[in-house]
Amino acid sequence: MSDVVEKTLTALPGLFDSQTGAAKITNRLRQLVKSITELTSKHEEENLIKQELCAMKEQVSSPNTSMKQMREIMVRAMYCEMLGYDASFTYIHAIKLAQQGGVLEKRVGYLAVSLFLNEGHELLLLLVNTVLKDLQSTNLIEACMALTVVAQVFPKDMIPAVLPLVEDKLSHPKEIIRRKAVLALYKFYLIAPNQVQHIHGKFRKALSDRDPGVMASSLHIYLQLIRESPDSYKDLTGSFVTILKQVLGGKLPVDFNYHSVPAPWLQIQLLRILSLLGKEDQSTSELMYEVLDESLRRAEMNHNITYAILYECVKAVYTIHPKVELLEKAARCIGNFVLSPKINLKYLGLKALTYVVQHDAKLALQHQMTIIECLDHSDFTIKRETLELLFRITNAQNVTVIVEKMLDFLRGCNDEHTIIHLVGKVSELAEKFAPDNSWFIQTMNCVFSIGGDLLQQDVPNNFLRLLAEGSESKEEDDQLRLYAVESYLTVLKGHTSHLPQCFLQVMSWVLGEYAHLQGSVDRREVIRLLTQLLDQRSVSSETRVWILSALTKIPEGQTDLILDLAERLASSQDTVLRQQAQELQHLSQDSQLHEWVLPRGAPWDAIEVDSSLSFLDGFVSEALAAGAAPYKPPHQRQEELCEDRALNLEPYSFSLPVSLSSCSITDRQSPTLLSVSSGLSGNSTELSQKAGSSTLILEGVKRVWGKDGYLPQKEATAPLVDEPSAAVQPPVQQEAAERTEPRPELSTRNQDKQQLASSLFVGLGVGSSVSLLGKSEAPPPRFRKKPRPHESSSSSGTSEKSSDSSCRSSHNTTDSFLYGSFLEEEPATSKSAFDHTPKSTTANGLSQNKDTKEDKHTNTSQIFGGDMVIVRPSTIQDKHPPSESSDLTALLPADLKDLPHSDVISLTSDPSLSLSSCRLFRDEALLLLIFISNCTETVIKDIAVQLTCEELKTASLRGNIVDCLEARSTSVCHYALLMDDPHTNVSFTGTVSYQTQPGHTNTLPFSGTLSTADFIRPLVLTTEEYGKLWLSLSHDVKQNLKLLTDAGDPLRTTLNALKDALQLHVVDIIGSEGIVACRLLSSAPCLLHCRVSGAALVMWLRSPHPALPDCILYHCQRALAHR
Amino acid sequence: MQFMLLFSRQGKLRLQKWYVPLCDKEKKKITRELVQTVLARKPKMCSFLEWRDLKIVYKRYASLYFCCAIEDQDNELITLEIIHRYVELLDKYFGSVCELDIIFNFEKAYFILDEFLLGGEAQETSKKNVLKAIEQADLLQEEAETPRSVLEEIGLT
């Protein structure tokens, strides 16, 4: 036990004699503490506390116990709870004490309540009356105590009961009461913003309160409000500036000073508010330049508190609309931080730099030596922050060095959160900036072996997806795949027992899929290596399934080995493995069947998986005819079971016994196929549970592999030149080459650092700083992305546009169904496009709904028929300047003007023509409008537009051929597109050919993307109709989604968010469940059943179309992730 | 601020204040983990720590560690000063405070904390005002106590 405590215990009697009042109360506590101190073991302590608690239990239940004794017991109970023992039997008595005791018992009672019970505790209900009484009390202390407890533990549903009383307190004569009331309302706002909406006016009164304490408290609310919607509070900027000026001018009472700095807390709060208000708003920013300058100037004293203010000030200066003078001053301040010998300041300096390099990468250059030193700092926190900084300044030239540093750090790190976080960053950098194939694969190997089973599932998914989808050049893709295969073979030849399951799965999938690319290696060798893995005990059953799947793909001609294996597994305990072995056996004996089931080299999206198992229909109907019960999916069975019981408190989805492995059997190609992969994601709860359990098992496994294993340690000595698609050497050769390569001997440590600096900060020069603004701009294309055909076009305008579109296409491929960070960089247009649509479409849907329901088909054909009739030979031409793309919507044909439409986005352009597109949402089709603008002063003739999209059907088109386009005019061509089979994203390509001079034909290629969301229309029906339809639909998917909990009604908010993004129709919301309906244009409906379960939204989708639920689910996830 | 913990060099918890609702099990887990991590840090290291998705700011005063968890966008330095101001308040109230004062009068330490921080935000940063509020409540306590304790001393003790 503590020596300090022991020493001082002897002095105890004296200590307490001086405080007689308190001593009496704490008498028993003192005895307790003292006897605990004397004990030597944890076991003895446990016994003693147990005794104590027993005695207390007896005392509290005795009717003779006075309030005063009760108070003393409560103090002891708090002490026992703090030591970690359960004293829950006293909770009810704490409430009683607050209720019945005198002021001083009340105080302890309330304290105990606030310590024992948290917001969700049911006993708090019993407290409402007491709080109400005390809020109305004329005794100041009682009112204070009630407000304090209200601001600490009050649950949401009890707020309405006390709200009027708390509101009244805002005009209480005593400032302490007003202050506490403001803070209580702040807390209410955080818990339930809707309930305090009506008192926003009163907050303004609090802001202008004569007492600085009350005013300061109101800033908490304003910070929150302004964070959520800065635009509504711009008018207050002047007031905040004035307050800050007054504070800086020393107008507040001296006792608000802290180490002779006037009200630092208040200053910081104001600076935060100002930075939020001035963000991306020049005129508001101008109002605060002066006061920010003054703040920077005033904070000169060398004390922590001034640095705290400075830090906030610097952040504000860099957040608001920039002013050169201030930026320079702020940059100097950062210098002071970074160069400070005090480690806390250094840390903040790094943090500030991390924030600032997004705006000005040059600043990192100034401090490169400090950054290098921090990279080797003994303090973990400093190191990690430095890596964060480096992450922000990574470009194609320094990526190898920075990633190496990160991996070095990771190898010495054992904190789970840090590993997950950093490994994600490494893989992000690798995908974005990889200089060549070998580096990419090796880095990802490190990611998998270090991150192991802690990894977020989307890292391996993205990686496999990238390999599978590839770019446009098959040759490059195959090189990458080949490299991966070779690299994995080397890994598997080494020691494999400590490799994470996730890595093994990735390897086995790649080997299964691409081992055939490797001509020189013996197939038998691959099979042998994989089979070896199967024998290892450390390999989980999930991984075994992956391995077996891989083996199924390889065999060709190696029947003996396979049969051996199949025979061995046929007696396995695991039924799934047994089944796979069976399949393996059959497939290896029948090469024709094998070819049919697993076509070699088929493009990844060409494989059709009948996940509806329609081939079983005959069997099912026979069985039904023979009197079998109709099939119910497991979750439905579970649900019905739950409904039978009276109380269903547990979310049903967790107990599902559907295993992932069974999923992978039927859908062997899973990682490549989107529809199937989301089928997997439908089981994500199991997945994550599995991941969770394997994490547990694997904890403590030493991650020695990768350090000096098969991986050639790449010593980053010189900046690597960004050279795309370096030739791939066979790994053995390369490894050898790198081993023999002499490491440069550096004479001094300093030189070493200089070298490192030059490689770390390469590309951060003055000229290139623009490209480094990094995150906010589109990342440079990755090495695997093949340039688009029109990228070579010479015109500067075109190259700009085309790089834009190629970057967009790179998003498509990397977008996985598990939305990654890439989504944030998605071009904004598509999102804003959705914002325009929903209202008008729903209205449309409503009005058209009646006839649509009567007879869908005739209606559709009518519309189509009408469309055909309208086809006019001439196209619509207007004399509008083509430069302003927003004006283009004015060119919409009259019959289309009223339809909801997206923003106009520019597709491509060349010196003569510029193309833009716009999407119009019609009930039965998506209209894709292409605006062709003549940018020249001459007439352009014979324009012909050709659009191709394999996944979509063109129902009608018009205006695709224009004989003659006047100078500076625009013509519109439109395609009515239909989507029969849902795809998450569909890209279209096309060309425009035209003649500027007779006989001289030019072509201009263009491309773009459409998403399923463009094809989703609301389906309006009643709850009863919904119910009937629900039962008739067969394909269902179930998944837990994120619930938006930031507003009062999470379910409604979430559904509204989905409705806005996807044009869904919310049929009904009953309690914690909501039903939603939509359809794919005018065809397949999809019904969504949503239910709140804890912090998640359990979404259950049904549709007659097998792939539609997956697509919609994907877009729902995205919509929620965007929020 | 998400929570504040006070613990001794031996890892004994002396005070805990949670501003976010968590279950007891989670609280215990967090406390155990944090105490371990913070105690393992060397004196020259910086007072900040990235932990899960939170920032931990801690400072040692004599044998006691004061440890706060804040969110990422919060200012670490001002949190350090919040800790310091709390120590100042304790010091002023107890008169050169030591760990024992906090052990034996932990409820007082809570009262002071509640006057200083409310719902995780600084409520009153004027030292004078905080102490005034506490003293007023204490005064009432003394008044209420005197007649009672006299009675009790006659009757009970």
Side-chain angles (χ1 to χ4, degrees), chain A residues 8 68 82 104 107 118 152 179-180 186 220 255 258 265 308 312 344 347 351 379 381 384, chain B residues 14 17 22 41 46-48 50 55 75-76 81-82 84 100 115 121-122 124 126 138 141 152:
Chain A
T8 336
K68 191 188 161 198
M82 185 154 65
L104 101 126
R107 201 177 175 205
N118 59 31
Q152 295 199 66
R179 196 178 67 211
K180 282 181 192 283
Y186 165 68
H220 295 305
D255 46 84
Y258 178 83
W265 281 276
E312 213 61 51
N344 286 346
Y347 172 79
K351 207 177 146 188
D379 192 341
T381 313
R384 189 176 156 178
Chain B
R14 296 299 179 212
K17 190 81 193 178
L22 290 170
R41 286 178 65 85
C46 79
S47 311
F48 316 126
E50 265 163 70
K55 223 14 112 39
N75 187 323
E76 289 90 348
E81 298 314 304
I82 282 186
H84 190 74
L100 275 175
E115 281 305 317
E121 303 285 352
E124 178 58 88
S126 151
D138 278 354
Q141 184 157 339
E152 271 173 349

Side-chain angles (χ1 to χ4, degrees), chain A residues 516-561:
Chain A
H516 67 95
L517 292 174
Q518 161 65 284
S520 60
V521 164
D522 191 2
R523 288 283 154 73
R524 302 182 74 88
E525 179 69 5
V526 180
I527 295 175
R528 195 184 56 78
L529 285 172
L530 287 175
T531 320
Q532 236 170 34
L533 281 184
L534 278 179
D535 295 338
Q536 263 171 35
R537 208 179 296 166
S538 58
V539 172
S540 76
S541 55
E542 191 189 328
T543 309
R544 280 169 211 269
V545 174
W546 284 73
I547 297 170
L548 267 182
S549 299
L551 282 169
T552 322
K553 293 177 207 160
I554 301 173
E556 272 176 75
Q558 313 301 335
T559 327
D560 54 330
L561 277 179

Side-chain angles (χ1 to χ4, degrees), chain A residues 169-232:
Chain A
K169 297 287 181 224
L170 287 177
S171 44
H172 197 275
K174 275 287 187 192
E175 59 271 5
I176 186 171
I177 300 280
R178 292 204 300 276
R179 196 178 67 211
K180 282 181 192 283
V182 168
L183 278 167
L185 288 174
Y186 165 68
K187 198 68 198 289
F188 291 171
Y189 176 76
L190 291 181
I191 306 172
N194 298 334
Q195 297 191 7
V196 291
Q197 223 144 29
H198 62 287
I199 24 184
H200 282 195
K202 289 191 178 165
F203 292 155
R204 291 202 181 217
K205 230 180 104 202
L207 182 64
S208 52
D209 198 284
R210 59 184 183 281
D211 179 70
V214 180
M215 186 267 291
S217 305
S218 75
L219 291 183
H220 295 305
I221 301 182
Y222 275 106
L223 181 64
Q224 200 64 30
L225 287 172
I226 292 172
R227 193 173 280 151
E228 276 154 29
S229 71
D231 290 335
S232 336

Side-chain angles (χ1 to χ4, degrees), chain A residues 847-1021:
Chain A
S847 62
Q848 294 206 353
N849 176 46
K850 273 185 192 145
D851 22 4
T852 334
K853 253 192 294 176
E854 300 295 293
D855 191 349
K856 262 185 236 167
H857 295 285
T858 48
N859 189 19
T860 324
S861 57
Q862 259 170 10
I863 291 172
F864 277 135
D867 207 14
M868 296 305 191
V869 176
I870 301 169
V871 175
R872 281 173 285 183
S874 67
T875 50
I876 310 94
Q877 287 194 12
D878 258 84
K879 299 276 179 192
H880 272 277
S883 52
E884 282 283 56
S885 63
S886 57
D887 284 7
L888 289 171
T889 49
L891 298 179
L892 291 177
D895 55 328
L896 302 177
K897 271 224 163 75
D898 294 330
L899 286 178
H901 62 82
S902 73
D903 284 349
V904 176
I905 48 171
S906 171
L907 284 176
T908 178
S909 68
D910 70 5
S912 333
L913 284 182
S914 86
L915 298 183
S916 322
S917 76
C918 169
R919 287 160 289 148
L920 265 75
F921 307 100
R922 220 159 53 185
D923 258 10
E924 77 300 331
L926 176 78
L927 294 188
L928 182 69
L929 271 74
I930 297 172
F931 298 95
I932 310 158
S933 303
N934 184 350
C935 317
T936 62
E937 299 300 335
T938 53
V939 176
I940 296 180
K941 294 198 165 169
D942 292 331
I943 299 176
V945 185
Q946 202 164 24
L947 183 107
T948 45
C949 181
E950 284 173 12
E951 291 92 344
L952 299 177
K953 238 170 50 189
T954 309
S956 72
L957 76 164
R958 56 169 143 150
N960 65 324
I961 294 176
V962 183
D963 293 336
C964 158
L965 188 61
E966 297 289 331
R968 298 273 160 212
S969 65
T970 300
S971 124
V972 187
C973 132
H974 79 233
Y975 285 83
L977 298 174
L978 299 180
M979 184 185 256
D980 286 343
D981 287 318
H983 298 267
T984 40
N985 284 311
V986 178
S987 51
F988 59 85
T989 54
T991 50
V992 181
S993 61
Y994 61 94
Q995 294 191 352
T996 41
Q997 291 155 355
H1000 212 83
T1001 308
N1002 297 323
T1003 53
L1004 176 64
F1006 63 89
S1007 63
T1009 323
L1010 299 169
S1011 89
T1012 328
D1014 294 330
F1015 296 87
I1016 300 291
R1017 302 288 178 265
L1019 174 62
V1020 184
L1021 34 68

Side-chain angles (χ1 to χ4, degrees), chain A residues 616-665:
Chain A
L616 286 174
D617 284 352
F619 176 77
V620 171
S621 54
E622 256 173 52
L624 283 176
Y631 174 74
K632 281 177 194 162
H635 42 250
Q636 196 179 346
R637 268 175 269 164
Q638 198 80 20
E639 203 166 55
E640 278 167 12
L641 233 90
C642 289
E643 276 161 11
D644 288 347
R645 292 184 209 131
L647 279 173
N648 173 21
L649 295 169
E650 277 302 298
Y652 41 74
S653 54
F654 288 99
S655 48
L656 286 188
V658 186
S659 75
L660 172 80
S661 33
S662 63
C663 215
S664 356
I665 293 169

Side-chain angles (χ1 to χ4, degrees), chain A residues 1090-1109:
Chain A
C1090 313
R1091 166 164 155 168
V1092 178
S1093 161
L1097 184 71
V1098 182
M1099 190 174 274
W1100 186 0
L1101 301 98
R1102 277 192 170 191
S1103 169
H1105 199 292
L1108 187 59

